[in-house]
Amino acid sequence: MSVRLRHTLPTVLVAGALLISGCAGSDSDPQADGKPTTSAPAARPSSSTVLPHGIVKPGTALPVGDGAWTVTLQGVERLPAGAVPGVPAGSSAYTARVTVANQRAQVATAPRTAVTARYGALGHTATEAADSSTSSAKDEPQQVRPNGSVDRDLKLVLPDQAQGLPVTVTVEATEEGLAEPELLFFEGALPGTAASPDTRAPQGAPTGQSVTPLGQWNGQVRVGKVTVSGEGASRTGSLELSVVNRSGDPMPGLGTTVRILTGQDLHLAATVRPVYGYRDAAIAPYRTATQSVSFRVPEAAVGGPVTVEAVDAGGSKVTFDGTLG
């Protein structure tokens, strides 16, 4: 069943791997209620044969535009080694094919489609292959004859340890003349055998916990431990931001601002805000999405304490702390 984004949903999306340096004097601090985030029920798990309402198996044709079109994810298939150049060691290339079929009795312009694949319990986002010139997000409008269809392929890169894990694919289908997409969710398993068991039930933080160690959940948010790479002034920090959708309706995306503060004096080292133009798809019902966030690291702060604030679109703030690198 397709779900149309409501006008009230935020239109800003989280920018992953965006390097933004800031200082406390120039940053605009979002408003927060100051209350600690309490725990929430775990996301509802599902088996490979039973999916939450609103998510279907690959191969299922879902209606778009009141039945004027159908959209089908044919599946996510692994490509032979070497088929896509530039795939890093320990990863493999896959292709996802989306079929858009015209159900009308006349020629019509096919809806634009954007595809996002998230795999495993934390919903890590698959990377688009560098040579994926057929990216559905860049497709020109296509005319489709009555009862005809058009295939759109997207090449993705996933780590080899993702083999056999569940993959949730979000297809955003936007009809000609409309600004808001309809959301379609498909889920199956990646080819191969999972190396270790996978779970879909992230845990909330203990009730009343105001500061959470990095790497743990607080309510519906988790901030991973900060790692540091590079040398001297060019050092870069990275962390993973995870948001779980514990409802039966789609979420518009992570929609979270991350503020990184270093040292005992809480120096604002970087802010990563939701920005326009970033492809951060809606989160499927009872599923989790994880995005990598990168930022510049002050050399003197490495090895010291770090505090990370995750602020949602409504201003609610969750605080995490740990060590920088």
Side-chain angles (χ1 to χ4, degrees), residues 209-246:
Q209 183 168 337
S210 57
V211 179
T212 303
L214 291 172
Q216 296 186 14
W217 285 92
N218 189 326
Q220 67 176 19
V221 180
R222 172 185 177 272
V223 173
K225 295 181 179 179
V226 181
T227 58
V228 178
S229 60
E231 299 277 340
S234 63
R235 292 183 187 228
T236 299
S238 62
L239 56 82
E240 289 184 342
L241 171 67
S242 302
V243 175
V244 60
N245 180 5
R246 303 184 192 277

PDB file of all heavy atoms in Angstrom, residues 209-246:
ATOM      1  N   GLN A 209      17.046   8.406  32.085  1.00  0.00           N
ATOM      2  CA  GLN A 209      18.457   8.602  31.767  1.00  0.00           C
ATOM      3  C   GLN A 209      18.622   9.873  30.951  1.00  0.00           C
ATOM      4  O   GLN A 209      18.066  10.011  29.866  1.00  0.00           O
ATOM      5  CB  GLN A 209      18.990   7.398  30.996  1.00  0.00           C
ATOM      6  CG  GLN A 209      20.477   7.489  30.681  1.00  0.00           C
ATOM      7  CD  GLN A 209      21.008   6.167  30.182  1.00  0.00           C
ATOM      8  OE1 GLN A 209      20.423   5.127  30.453  1.00  0.00           O
ATOM      9  NE2 GLN A 209      22.112   6.195  29.465  1.00  0.00           N
ATOM     10  N   SER A 210      19.406  10.842  31.465  1.00  0.00           N
ATOM     11  CA  SER A 210      19.560  12.125  30.778  1.00  0.00           C
ATOM     12  C   SER A 210      20.784  12.172  29.889  1.00  0.00           C
ATOM     13  O   SER A 210      20.806  12.905  28.895  1.00  0.00           O
ATOM     14  CB  SER A 210      19.621  13.266  31.797  1.00  0.00           C
ATOM     15  OG  SER A 210      20.680  13.056  32.704  1.00  0.00           O
ATOM     16  N   VAL A 211      21.839  11.423  30.241  1.00  0.00           N
ATOM     17  CA  VAL A 211      23.045  11.349  29.421  1.00  0.00           C
ATOM     18  C   VAL A 211      23.338   9.883  29.148  1.00  0.00           C
ATOM     19  O   VAL A 211      23.404   9.074  30.074  1.00  0.00           O
ATOM     20  CB  VAL A 211      24.248  12.019  30.114  1.00  0.00           C
ATOM     21  CG1 VAL A 211      25.492  11.902  29.235  1.00  0.00           C
ATOM     22  CG2 VAL A 211      23.942  13.477  30.425  1.00  0.00           C
ATOM     23  N   THR A 212      23.520   9.557  27.879  1.00  0.00           N
ATOM     24  CA  THR A 212      23.679   8.169  27.456  1.00  0.00           C
ATOM     25  C   THR A 212      25.076   7.948  26.896  1.00  0.00           C
ATOM     26  O   THR A 212      25.572   8.785  26.135  1.00  0.00           O
ATOM     27  CB  THR A 212      22.636   7.834  26.380  1.00  0.00           C
ATOM     28  OG1 THR A 212      21.332   8.093  26.884  1.00  0.00           O
ATOM     29  CG2 THR A 212      22.729   6.379  25.949  1.00  0.00           C
ATOM     30  N   PRO A 213      25.744   6.840  27.248  1.00  0.00           N
ATOM     31  CA  PRO A 213      27.046   6.552  26.642  1.00  0.00           C
ATOM     32  C   PRO A 213      26.910   6.372  25.132  1.00  0.00           C
ATOM     33  O   PRO A 213      25.914   5.818  24.646  1.00  0.00           O
ATOM     34  CB  PRO A 213      27.471   5.245  27.323  1.00  0.00           C
ATOM     35  CG  PRO A 213      26.680   5.193  28.591  1.00  0.00           C
ATOM     36  CD  PRO A 213      25.376   5.855  28.284  1.00  0.00           C
ATOM     37  N   LEU A 214      27.901   6.848  24.383  1.00  0.00           N
ATOM     38  CA  LEU A 214      27.919   6.628  22.950  1.00  0.00           C
ATOM     39  C   LEU A 214      27.835   5.140  22.650  1.00  0.00           C
ATOM     40  O   LEU A 214      28.448   4.315  23.323  1.00  0.00           O
ATOM     41  CB  LEU A 214      29.191   7.207  22.329  1.00  0.00           C
ATOM     42  CG  LEU A 214      29.317   8.733  22.312  1.00  0.00           C
ATOM     43  CD1 LEU A 214      30.715   9.132  21.852  1.00  0.00           C
ATOM     44  CD2 LEU A 214      28.257   9.355  21.407  1.00  0.00           C
ATOM     45  N   GLY A 215      27.064   4.805  21.629  1.00  0.00           N
ATOM     46  CA  GLY A 215      26.901   3.409  21.244  1.00  0.00           C
ATOM     47  C   GLY A 215      25.654   2.759  21.805  1.00  0.00           C
ATOM     48  O   GLY A 215      25.343   1.622  21.442  1.00  0.00           O
ATOM     49  N   GLN A 216      24.916   3.475  22.668  1.00  0.00           N
ATOM     50  CA  GLN A 216      23.703   2.928  23.243  1.00  0.00           C
ATOM     51  C   GLN A 216      22.483   3.712  22.756  1.00  0.00           C
ATOM     52  O   GLN A 216      22.606   4.823  22.243  1.00  0.00           O
ATOM     53  CB  GLN A 216      23.767   2.952  24.771  1.00  0.00           C
ATOM     54  CG  GLN A 216      24.860   2.079  25.360  1.00  0.00           C
ATOM     55  CD  GLN A 216      24.803   2.022  26.875  1.00  0.00           C
ATOM     56  OE1 GLN A 216      23.819   2.419  27.495  1.00  0.00           O
ATOM     57  NE2 GLN A 216      25.863   1.529  27.480  1.00  0.00           N
ATOM     58  N   TRP A 217      21.306   3.117  22.937  1.00  0.00           N
ATOM     59  CA  TRP A 217      20.053   3.764  22.544  1.00  0.00           C
ATOM     60  C   TRP A 217      19.516   4.632  23.665  1.00  0.00           C
ATOM     61  O   TRP A 217      19.647   4.302  24.847  1.00  0.00           O
ATOM     62  CB  TRP A 217      18.995   2.717  22.198  1.00  0.00           C
ATOM     63  CG  TRP A 217      19.209   2.050  20.883  1.00  0.00           C
ATOM     64  CD1 TRP A 217      19.894   0.892  20.648  1.00  0.00           C
ATOM     65  CD2 TRP A 217      18.747   2.504  19.604  1.00  0.00           C
ATOM     66  NE1 TRP A 217      19.895   0.604  19.317  1.00  0.00           N
ATOM     67  CE2 TRP A 217      19.188   1.562  18.650  1.00  0.00           C
ATOM     68  CE3 TRP A 217      18.000   3.607  19.198  1.00  0.00           C
ATOM     69  CZ2 TRP A 217      18.903   1.703  17.292  1.00  0.00           C
ATOM     70  CZ3 TRP A 217      17.710   3.745  17.841  1.00  0.00           C
ATOM     71  CH2 TRP A 217      18.169   2.800  16.904  1.00  0.00           C
ATOM     72  N   ASN A 218      18.924   5.760  23.294  1.00  0.00           N
ATOM     73  CA  ASN A 218      18.141   6.585  24.208  1.00  0.00           C
ATOM     74  C   ASN A 218      16.837   6.894  23.482  1.00  0.00           C
ATOM     75  O   ASN A 218      16.809   7.661  22.530  1.00  0.00           O
ATOM     76  CB  ASN A 218      18.869   7.876  24.564  1.00  0.00           C
ATOM     77  CG  ASN A 218      18.169   8.639  25.682  1.00  0.00           C
ATOM     78  OD1 ASN A 218      16.946   8.630  25.781  1.00  0.00           O
ATOM     79  ND2 ASN A 218      18.949   9.280  26.537  1.00  0.00           N
ATOM     80  N   GLY A 219      15.756   6.278  23.924  1.00  0.00           N
ATOM     81  CA  GLY A 219      14.494   6.425  23.226  1.00  0.00           C
ATOM     82  C   GLY A 219      14.607   5.866  21.823  1.00  0.00           C
ATOM     83  O   GLY A 219      14.990   4.710  21.630  1.00  0.00           O
ATOM     84  N   GLN A 220      14.313   6.684  20.810  1.00  0.00           N
ATOM     85  CA  GLN A 220      14.358   6.209  19.425  1.00  0.00           C
ATOM     86  C   GLN A 220      15.651   6.581  18.716  1.00  0.00           C
ATOM     87  O   GLN A 220      15.786   6.367  17.517  1.00  0.00           O
ATOM     88  CB  GLN A 220      13.183   6.775  18.634  1.00  0.00           C
ATOM     89  CG  GLN A 220      13.228   8.289  18.425  1.00  0.00           C
ATOM     90  CD  GLN A 220      12.079   8.775  17.560  1.00  0.00           C
ATOM     91  OE1 GLN A 220      11.076   8.089  17.405  1.00  0.00           O
ATOM     92  NE2 GLN A 220      12.225   9.960  16.996  1.00  0.00           N
ATOM     93  N   VAL A 221      16.644   7.118  19.460  1.00  0.00           N
ATOM     94  CA  VAL A 221      17.880   7.610  18.844  1.00  0.00           C
ATOM     95  C   VAL A 221      19.094   6.874  19.408  1.00  0.00           C
ATOM     96  O   VAL A 221      19.167   6.569  20.603  1.00  0.00           O
ATOM     97  CB  VAL A 221      18.048   9.131  19.076  1.00  0.00           C
ATOM     98  CG1 VAL A 221      19.336   9.640  18.433  1.00  0.00           C
ATOM     99  CG2 VAL A 221      16.850   9.888  18.531  1.00  0.00           C
ATOM    100  N   ARG A 222      20.051   6.614  18.542  1.00  0.00           N
ATOM    101  CA  ARG A 222      21.338   6.050  18.948  1.00  0.00           C
ATOM    102  C   ARG A 222      22.443   6.795  18.223  1.00  0.00           C
ATOM    103  O   ARG A 222      22.347   7.042  17.022  1.00  0.00           O
ATOM    104  CB  ARG A 222      21.417   4.560  18.593  1.00  0.00           C
ATOM    105  CG  ARG A 222      22.794   3.917  18.806  1.00  0.00           C
ATOM    106  CD  ARG A 222      22.778   2.484  18.301  1.00  0.00           C
ATOM    107  NE  ARG A 222      24.074   1.849  18.407  1.00  0.00           N
ATOM    108  CZ  ARG A 222      25.016   1.891  17.480  1.00  0.00           C
ATOM    109  NH1 ARG A 222      24.797   2.556  16.349  1.00  0.00           N
ATOM    110  NH2 ARG A 222      26.166   1.265  17.648  1.00  0.00           N
ATOM    111  N   VAL A 223      23.489   7.192  18.959  1.00  0.00           N
ATOM    112  CA  VAL A 223      24.670   7.806  18.368  1.00  0.00           C
ATOM    113  C   VAL A 223      25.846   6.871  18.620  1.00  0.00           C
ATOM    114  O   VAL A 223      26.143   6.537  19.767  1.00  0.00           O
ATOM    115  CB  VAL A 223      24.950   9.201  18.961  1.00  0.00           C
ATOM    116  CG1 VAL A 223      26.283   9.738  18.437  1.00  0.00           C
ATOM    117  CG2 VAL A 223      23.822  10.163  18.610  1.00  0.00           C
ATOM    118  N   GLY A 224      26.503   6.431  17.558  1.00  0.00           N
ATOM    119  CA  GLY A 224      27.609   5.498  17.686  1.00  0.00           C
ATOM    120  C   GLY A 224      28.870   6.153  18.211  1.00  0.00           C
ATOM    121  O   GLY A 224      28.989   7.386  18.272  1.00  0.00           O
ATOM    122  N   LYS A 225      29.820   5.328  18.590  1.00  0.00           N
ATOM    123  CA  LYS A 225      31.092   5.837  19.087  1.00  0.00           C
ATOM    124  C   LYS A 225      31.824   6.605  17.986  1.00  0.00           C
ATOM    125  O   LYS A 225      31.722   6.290  16.808  1.00  0.00           O
ATOM    126  CB  LYS A 225      31.949   4.676  19.590  1.00  0.00           C
ATOM    127  CG  LYS A 225      31.334   3.966  20.798  1.00  0.00           C
ATOM    128  CD  LYS A 225      32.216   2.832  21.281  1.00  0.00           C
ATOM    129  CE  LYS A 225      31.583   2.158  22.505  1.00  0.00           C
ATOM    130  NZ  LYS A 225      32.413   1.027  23.004  1.00  0.00           N
ATOM    131  N   VAL A 226      32.571   7.632  18.409  1.00  0.00           N
ATOM    132  CA  VAL A 226      33.281   8.481  17.458  1.00  0.00           C
ATOM    133  C   VAL A 226      34.643   7.877  17.134  1.00  0.00           C
ATOM    134  O   VAL A 226      35.418   7.536  18.027  1.00  0.00           O
ATOM    135  CB  VAL A 226      33.465   9.905  18.031  1.00  0.00           C
ATOM    136  CG1 VAL A 226      34.198  10.785  17.017  1.00  0.00           C
ATOM    137  CG2 VAL A 226      32.118  10.513  18.389  1.00  0.00           C
ATOM    138  N   THR A 227      34.929   7.731  15.848  1.00  0.00           N
ATOM    139  CA  THR A 227      36.242   7.273  15.416  1.00  0.00           C
ATOM    140  C   THR A 227      36.950   8.433  14.722  1.00  0.00           C
ATOM    141  O   THR A 227      36.309   9.314  14.152  1.00  0.00           O
ATOM    142  CB  THR A 227      36.138   6.082  14.458  1.00  0.00           C
ATOM    143  OG1 THR A 227      35.356   6.454  13.314  1.00  0.00           O
ATOM    144  CG2 THR A 227      35.468   4.896  15.146  1.00  0.00           C
ATOM    145  N   VAL A 228      38.291   8.420  14.766  1.00  0.00           N
ATOM    146  CA  VAL A 228      39.087   9.510  14.204  1.00  0.00           C
ATOM    147  C   VAL A 228      40.081   8.941  13.202  1.00  0.00           C
ATOM    148  O   VAL A 228      40.710   7.903  13.443  1.00  0.00           O
ATOM    149  CB  VAL A 228      39.840  10.275  15.314  1.00  0.00           C
ATOM    150  CG1 VAL A 228      40.707  11.376  14.712  1.00  0.00           C
ATOM    151  CG2 VAL A 228      38.854  10.870  16.308  1.00  0.00           C
ATOM    152  N   SER A 229      40.220   9.616  12.069  1.00  0.00           N
ATOM    153  CA  SER A 229      41.192   9.226  11.058  1.00  0.00           C
ATOM    154  C   SER A 229      41.940  10.458  10.585  1.00  0.00           C
ATOM    155  O   SER A 229      41.511  11.589  10.814  1.00  0.00           O
ATOM    156  CB  SER A 229      40.492   8.537   9.875  1.00  0.00           C
ATOM    157  OG  SER A 229      39.558   9.412   9.282  1.00  0.00           O
ATOM    158  N   GLY A 230      43.072  10.233   9.915  1.00  0.00           N
ATOM    159  CA  GLY A 230      43.852  11.346   9.391  1.00  0.00           C
ATOM    160  C   GLY A 230      44.915  11.804  10.357  1.00  0.00           C
ATOM    161  O   GLY A 230      45.087  11.264  11.450  1.00  0.00           O
ATOM    162  N   GLU A 231      45.620  12.846   9.975  1.00  0.00           N
ATOM    163  CA  GLU A 231      46.744  13.362  10.752  1.00  0.00           C
ATOM    164  C   GLU A 231      46.599  14.862  10.968  1.00  0.00           C
ATOM    165  O   GLU A 231      46.054  15.580  10.126  1.00  0.00           O
ATOM    166  CB  GLU A 231      48.075  13.095  10.018  1.00  0.00           C
ATOM    167  CG  GLU A 231      48.376  11.624   9.796  1.00  0.00           C
ATOM    168  CD  GLU A 231      48.999  10.961  11.009  1.00  0.00           C
ATOM    169  OE1 GLU A 231      49.539  11.705  11.847  1.00  0.00           O
ATOM    170  OE2 GLU A 231      48.937   9.732  11.110  1.00  0.00           O
ATOM    171  N   GLY A 232      47.084  15.344  12.102  1.00  0.00           N
ATOM    172  CA  GLY A 232      47.150  16.770  12.369  1.00  0.00           C
ATOM    173  C   GLY A 232      45.827  17.497  12.189  1.00  0.00           C
ATOM    174  O   GLY A 232      44.771  17.030  12.605  1.00  0.00           O
ATOM    175  N   ALA A 233      45.908  18.661  11.517  1.00  0.00           N
ATOM    176  CA  ALA A 233      44.724  19.497  11.355  1.00  0.00           C
ATOM    177  C   ALA A 233      43.699  18.889  10.404  1.00  0.00           C
ATOM    178  O   ALA A 233      42.561  19.337  10.354  1.00  0.00           O
ATOM    179  CB  ALA A 233      45.129  20.870  10.841  1.00  0.00           C
ATOM    180  N   SER A 234      44.102  17.859   9.650  1.00  0.00           N
ATOM    181  CA  SER A 234      43.181  17.249   8.690  1.00  0.00           C
ATOM    182  C   SER A 234      42.422  16.067   9.286  1.00  0.00           C
ATOM    183  O   SER A 234      41.789  15.305   8.566  1.00  0.00           O
ATOM    184  CB  SER A 234      43.955  16.782   7.448  1.00  0.00           C
ATOM    185  OG  SER A 234      44.897  15.782   7.794  1.00  0.00           O
ATOM    186  N   ARG A 235      42.512  15.921  10.592  1.00  0.00           N
ATOM    187  CA  ARG A 235      41.810  14.791  11.218  1.00  0.00           C
ATOM    188  C   ARG A 235      40.309  14.920  11.023  1.00  0.00           C
ATOM    189  O   ARG A 235      39.742  16.005  11.093  1.00  0.00           O
ATOM    190  CB  ARG A 235      42.134  14.722  12.710  1.00  0.00           C
ATOM    191  CG  ARG A 235      43.578  14.350  12.991  1.00  0.00           C
ATOM    192  CD  ARG A 235      43.818  14.214  14.467  1.00  0.00           C
ATOM    193  NE  ARG A 235      45.232  14.011  14.735  1.00  0.00           N
ATOM    194  CZ  ARG A 235      45.706  13.063  15.529  1.00  0.00           C
ATOM    195  NH1 ARG A 235      44.885  12.251  16.146  1.00  0.00           N
ATOM    196  NH2 ARG A 235      46.997  12.943  15.723  1.00  0.00           N
ATOM    197  N   THR A 236      39.682  13.773  10.814  1.00  0.00           N
ATOM    198  CA  THR A 236      38.241  13.721  10.607  1.00  0.00           C
ATOM    199  C   THR A 236      37.619  12.728  11.585  1.00  0.00           C
ATOM    200  O   THR A 236      38.137  11.623  11.771  1.00  0.00           O
ATOM    201  CB  THR A 236      37.910  13.288   9.166  1.00  0.00           C
ATOM    202  OG1 THR A 236      38.449  14.248   8.261  1.00  0.00           O
ATOM    203  CG2 THR A 236      36.409  13.185   8.954  1.00  0.00           C
ATOM    204  N   GLY A 237      36.527  13.137  12.199  1.00  0.00           N
ATOM    205  CA  GLY A 237      35.783  12.241  13.067  1.00  0.00           C
ATOM    206  C   GLY A 237      34.548  11.736  12.350  1.00  0.00           C
ATOM    207  O   GLY A 237      34.015  12.393  11.456  1.00  0.00           O
ATOM    208  N   SER A 238      34.106  10.561  12.711  1.00  0.00           N
ATOM    209  CA  SER A 238      32.893  10.020  12.121  1.00  0.00           C
ATOM    210  C   SER A 238      32.118   9.243  13.172  1.00  0.00           C
ATOM    211  O   SER A 238      32.695   8.692  14.116  1.00  0.00           O
ATOM    212  CB  SER A 238      33.209   9.123  10.916  1.00  0.00           C
ATOM    213  OG  SER A 238      33.983   8.009  11.312  1.00  0.00           O
ATOM    214  N   LEU A 239      30.810   9.251  13.018  1.00  0.00           N
ATOM    215  CA  LEU A 239      29.927   8.505  13.908  1.00  0.00           C
ATOM    216  C   LEU A 239      28.708   8.075  13.111  1.00  0.00           C
ATOM    217  O   LEU A 239      28.476   8.528  11.998  1.00  0.00           O
ATOM    218  CB  LEU A 239      29.519   9.342  15.126  1.00  0.00           C
ATOM    219  CG  LEU A 239      28.845  10.691  14.887  1.00  0.00           C
ATOM    220  CD1 LEU A 239      27.348  10.545  14.619  1.00  0.00           C
ATOM    221  CD2 LEU A 239      29.067  11.614  16.078  1.00  0.00           C
ATOM    222  N   GLU A 240      27.929   7.175  13.699  1.00  0.00           N
ATOM    223  CA  GLU A 240      26.697   6.730  13.061  1.00  0.00           C
ATOM    224  C   GLU A 240      25.504   7.216  13.869  1.00  0.00           C
ATOM    225  O   GLU A 240      25.460   7.054  15.086  1.00  0.00           O
ATOM    226  CB  GLU A 240      26.654   5.207  12.947  1.00  0.00           C
ATOM    227  CG  GLU A 240      27.636   4.651  11.925  1.00  0.00           C
ATOM    228  CD  GLU A 240      27.496   3.150  11.757  1.00  0.00           C
ATOM    229  OE1 GLU A 240      26.906   2.514  12.661  1.00  0.00           O
ATOM    230  OE2 GLU A 240      27.957   2.624  10.725  1.00  0.00           O
ATOM    231  N   LEU A 241      24.552   7.823  13.167  1.00  0.00           N
ATOM    232  CA  LEU A 241      23.307   8.263  13.778  1.00  0.00           C
ATOM    233  C   LEU A 241      22.209   7.308  13.348  1.00  0.00           C
ATOM    234  O   LEU A 241      21.992   7.089  12.155  1.00  0.00           O
ATOM    235  CB  LEU A 241      22.975   9.683  13.325  1.00  0.00           C
ATOM    236  CG  LEU A 241      21.592  10.207  13.713  1.00  0.00           C
ATOM    237  CD1 LEU A 241      21.482  10.396  15.218  1.00  0.00           C
ATOM    238  CD2 LEU A 241      21.290  11.514  12.986  1.00  0.00           C
ATOM    239  N   SER A 242      21.526   6.710  14.326  1.00  0.00           N
ATOM    240  CA  SER A 242      20.441   5.771  14.040  1.00  0.00           C
ATOM    241  C   SER A 242      19.146   6.292  14.637  1.00  0.00           C
ATOM    242  O   SER A 242      19.132   6.817  15.754  1.00  0.00           O
ATOM    243  CB  SER A 242      20.745   4.378  14.628  1.00  0.00           C
ATOM    244  OG  SER A 242      21.949   3.849  14.118  1.00  0.00           O
ATOM    245  N   VAL A 243      18.065   6.146  13.877  1.00  0.00           N
ATOM    246  CA  VAL A 243      16.729   6.515  14.343  1.00  0.00           C
ATOM    247  C   VAL A 243      15.798   5.356  14.034  1.00  0.00           C
ATOM    248  O   VAL A 243      15.778   4.851  12.904  1.00  0.00           O
ATOM    249  CB  VAL A 243      16.223   7.800  13.663  1.00  0.00           C
ATOM    250  CG1 VAL A 243      14.786   8.100  14.081  1.00  0.00           C
ATOM    251  CG2 VAL A 243      17.127   8.976  14.005  1.00  0.00           C
ATOM    252  N   VAL A 244      15.020   4.926  15.030  1.00  0.00           N
ATOM    253  CA  VAL A 244      14.085   3.820  14.834  1.00  0.00           C
ATOM    254  C   VAL A 244      12.666   4.363  14.752  1.00  0.00           C
ATOM    255  O   VAL A 244      12.279   5.270  15.492  1.00  0.00           O
ATOM    256  CB  VAL A 244      14.210   2.781  15.973  1.00  0.00           C
ATOM    257  CG1 VAL A 244      13.914   3.374  17.331  1.00  0.00           C
ATOM    258  CG2 VAL A 244      13.301   1.580  15.712  1.00  0.00           C
ATOM    259  N   ASN A 245      11.914   3.841  13.813  1.00  0.00           N
ATOM    260  CA  ASN A 245      10.500   4.176  13.649  1.00  0.00           C
ATOM    261  C   ASN A 245       9.685   3.113  14.369  1.00  0.00           C
ATOM    262  O   ASN A 245       9.620   1.968  13.929  1.00  0.00           O
ATOM    263  CB  ASN A 245      10.136   4.213  12.161  1.00  0.00           C
ATOM    264  CG  ASN A 245       8.680   4.566  11.928  1.00  0.00           C
ATOM    265  OD1 ASN A 245       7.934   4.873  12.859  1.00  0.00           O
ATOM    266  ND2 ASN A 245       8.263   4.507  10.676  1.00  0.00           N
ATOM    267  N   ARG A 246       9.070   3.474  15.471  1.00  0.00           N
ATOM    268  CA  ARG A 246       8.327   2.503  16.274  1.00  0.00           C
ATOM    269  C   ARG A 246       6.829   2.534  15.992  1.00  0.00           C
ATOM    270  O   ARG A 246       6.051   2.001  16.767  1.00  0.00           O
ATOM    271  CB  ARG A 246       8.586   2.759  17.763  1.00  0.00           C
ATOM    272  CG  ARG A 246      10.070   2.717  18.148  1.00  0.00           C
ATOM    273  CD  ARG A 246      10.259   2.883  19.643  1.00  0.00           C
ATOM    274  NE  ARG A 246      11.639   3.122  19.986  1.00  0.00           N
ATOM    275  CZ  ARG A 246      12.561   2.174  20.141  1.00  0.00           C
ATOM    276  NH1 ARG A 246      12.231   0.917  19.968  1.00  0.00           N
ATOM    277  NH2 ARG A 246      13.803   2.489  20.458  1.00  0.00           N
TER     278      ARG A 246
END
